[in-house]
Amino acid sequence: MAGRARAERPPHSLPADLRQAIASDPTVKAVWADITPLARNEWICWVTSAKKEETRSKRITVGLDKMRKGMRRPCCWPGCPHRRDDSEAP
């Protein structure tokens, strides 16, 4: 993937547990449909970067609550490592 521009990078796959959670809430579903692919990638990466299943589940719950309140991207997180320039990615 070296040298690919950010805009050319494919979106992350939406995991089944996050997909189900989004589909179960009409408000969150509307926010999800309205946010940019980059913002979706950040939510997906924020959830999937959790090391423990309990953290992942909590992030899904918290993320849905934040989207219900109008937040369009995860807060207080260094961001998706896939979004950084290749020279900065871990």
Side-chain angles (χ1 to χ4, degrees), residues 38-50:
L38 180 60
R40 287 186 204 124
N41 272 356
E42 294 223 343
W43 283 112
I44 293 167
C45 199
W46 181 65
V47 167
T48 61
S49 67

Side-chain angles (χ1 to χ4, degrees), residues 55-72:
T55 304
R56 180 183 175 118
S57 294
K58 183 177 178 180
R59 285 184 182 179
I60 290 173
T61 301
V62 168
L64 267 60
D65 185 56
K66 289 180 181 224
M67 283 188 257
R68 266 186 232 105
K69 293 174 180 172
M71 188 175 281
R72 300 175 69 81

